Amino acid sequence: MISGQIPLWLVDGDDRIAFVNDAAVRVLGYAGDEELIGRPSHDSVHYKHPDGSPFPAEDCPITHATRRGEPVVIERDWWVRKDGTMLPISIHCVQMEIDGRMGTAMTFHDQTAVVQAEKERRSLEVQRARLAEVRASRTRIVEAADAQRRHVVRDLHDGAQASLVRVAMALQLALKDGVTHEEMRGFALDALDDARGAIDELRELAHGIHPAALTQHGLAAAIEGLAERAPVPVAIDVSDERFPESVESAAYFVAAEALTNVAKYARASRARVTAKRADDHLVLTVEDDGIGGAQPTAGGGLAGLADRVRAVDGTIQVTSEPGEGTKIRIEVPLSTRAPASAAAEDDEARQSGTVLIVDDDAKFRALAAIMLRSRGFEVVGESTDAASAVKTARACRPSAIVLDVNLPDHDGFWVAERLNEAGIGARILLTSATATDVLATTLDRYGIVAFIAKAELPTTDLSALLR
């Protein structure tokens, strides 16, 4: 009697199963060999493809080879178990005389573990590639934020600050002894003009950082404001629905940059902005009737938009054929995919939005907690020093940590190093109340996603950094 650990069966000259050993019966899910012996080989285990479509015997290379008496070696094929599920296998067939006629002896090996390992490896490769792209996008976002901060400082210095200096000078002159009424009136009028100009410049500057309309009234109101200030007519079709803060912020700045490009380069006579929910995504499009030909370049506005959209797991498509205008379309997910179980859902929620605040300034911790909760994060703990921060992080395992550089016992880099050693995969956002130069290479070495000054936290898209 032939038996053993390797699945084996014999097929006679009519392609009928003449023998099946116990290993083959077990792998194919049958109760005994009597359920298989005498049945057509192909029609029993090879009659459909993995996608469910029929697999006729005349198309089967195994059937053709065995009937010609040729050996067959197939590293990956799929057979059908008794219950209809598919089984990945490797096959080895050799010619053999059965009952006076040439048949086939066939061994096969269950490849389920191999297929699963390949699937997991591919999934891991995709996740690694996606993580690398997200990290690169976040690095570029941080660099862009640094450049924007320098731009804001320059604008303040050359614009509003200069106007306010002139206000002070005019008022000082007006208060000098010997100034006539008419001269005083002239100085006051000049000061009033400069003060109004400074107010307008500050309003525009604050609007560029994060418009109040977006926070208070939502995407529709904020984009209507963009359209009103645009130099070309802009048609608006934007849902009044409120979306997550990070989604609204990404969509708003895409629209702002796109309309700025329309004004600067497109030579368009009109533009259109639409934003609607499509299933579980927000879809925003900005299109114009200009000259087209827009091309993303390294460091350019379109590349910056792509980074911003990818940072919130979105996609962006730019269509800009010469002479046919430009269309920018983004899709941003509004929620994560539903997990397989309630436990997985709880774990995913915990991992995507729980924050530990580490700072020895009680007032800052209180304000930071209010700000984070308003943006959808759950504050799971607070620590005042480095040692307790590591202990708390190990206990509550937050998905993110807002970490002060300067702590009473150790600095924030010491905390980051201890957490890395402990395998705490939290996103660490480093902060400081003082101006601090931190190299990007230093942040990367300690696994820190970004450094943001405390004063800039309220205007920073924390969702892009901490989720």
Side-chain angles (χ1 to χ4, degrees), residues 58-133:
E58 55 268 23
D59 295 340
C60 176
I62 299 175
T63 301
H64 289 305
T66 53
R67 286 177 177 173
R68 290 193 299 266
E70 299 173 356
V72 178
V73 177
I74 299 177
E75 295 301 326
R76 178 65 49 76
D77 202 350
W78 294 83
W79 280 6
V80 187
R81 293 187 181 92
K82 180 182 178 179
D83 62 6
T85 59
M86 303 302 297
L87 173 70
I89 59 169
S90 61
I91 306 169
H92 295 257
C93 305
V94 294
Q95 195 174 31
M96 181 177 183
E97 182 177 335
I98 300 174
D99 296 332
R101 299 176 60 191
M102 294 309 298
T104 304
M106 189 178 305
T107 62
F108 56 93
H109 298 263
D110 185 352
Q111 297 287 304
T112 300
V114 175
V115 170
Q116 182 62 29
E118 291 174 353
K119 181 179 179 181
E120 291 175 355
R121 185 176 66 252
R122 287 193 298 269
S123 176
L124 181 60
E125 290 172 353
V126 170
Q127 291 175 12
R128 284 175 174 170
R130 182 173 175 273
L131 179 59
E133 177 58 31

Side-chain angles (χ1 to χ4, degrees), residues 26 32 39 50 54 131 166 194 241 256 262 271 283 300 306 316 336 362 367 394 411 418-419 445:
R26 183 172 58 255
R39 293 175 56 176
L131 179 59
R166 290 194 297 271
D194 283 329
E241 180 181 358
V262 171
V283 179
I316 184 169
T336 55
L367 292 173
R394 285 174 172 171
D411 62 18
R418 301 290 87 73
L419 295 180
R445 184 165 71 250

Side-chain angles (χ1 to χ4, degrees), residues 130-143 306-311:
R130 182 173 175 273
L131 179 59
E133 177 58 31
V134 168
R135 284 175 173 168
S137 294
R138 285 178 174 146
T139 298
R140 291 191 291 267
I141 287 173
V142 172
E143 291 172 350
D307 286 340
R308 183 182 291 276
V309 172
R310 292 193 189 102

Side-chain angles (χ1 to χ4, degrees), residues 217-220 238-243 248 276-277 282 334:
H217 305 295
L219 187 61
V238 179
S239 171
D240 290 330
E241 180 181 358
R242 293 305 304 262
F243 302 101
E248 289 189 339
K276 300 287 184 182
R277 175 191 287 269
L282 172 67
L334 299 175

Side-chain angles (χ1 to χ4, degrees), residues 295-322:
Q295 294 291 333
T297 58
L302 292 178
L305 291 185
D307 286 340
R308 183 182 291 276
V309 172
R310 292 193 189 102
V312 289
D313 292 332
T315 60
I316 184 169
Q317 180 181 8
V318 179
T319 305
S320 187
E321 294 296 328

Side-chain angles (χ1 to χ4, degrees), residues 31-32 59 103 204 219 250 255 272 383 451 467:
D59 295 340
E204 287 299 314
L219 187 61
R272 179 178 178 84
S383 295
F451 170 80
R467 283 195 170 96

